[in-house]
Amino acid sequence: MIVELKYDKDADTAIRQIHDNRYNGELKDYFGNLLLVGINYDKDAREEAVKKHSCVIKKV
């Protein structure tokens, strides 16, 4: 699993960064399932207990 966290962007931007920076290249010899996880948090959420977030998970 490769996880990229962002704030005030979007989860798709996090996934795109994984691809653009070729983070999964480090795992080129791994032959199992690989999950790419992009998570974005809303930095300006009013209450700490209810931070808004979005998440994208892609299986490659």
Side-chain angles (χ1 to χ4, degrees):
M1 180 184 330
I2 300 173
V3 178
E4 178 67 27
L5 302 174
K6 294 288 183 200
Y7 66 90
D8 290 341
K9 304 276 187 193
D10 60 48
D12 288 319
T13 298
I15 294 291
R16 198 167 33 257
Q17 182 174 340
I18 292 170
H19 285 292
D20 290 350
N21 291 329
R22 303 178 193 266
Y23 294 158
N24 58 339
E26 297 296 322
L27 300 171
K28 65 181 184 258
D29 296 327
Y30 178 73
F31 292 102
N33 293 324
L34 182 61
L35 295 177
L36 306 181
V37 180
I39 301 172
N40 177 66
Y41 288 93
D42 180 3
K43 184 173 85 170
D44 294 327
R46 303 235 183 252
E47 297 179 37
E48 289 293 322
V50 290
K51 288 277 189 188
K52 293 183 180 181
H53 72 279
S54 60
C55 179
V56 173
I57 300 173
K58 294 193 175 189
K59 182 178 173 184
V60 294

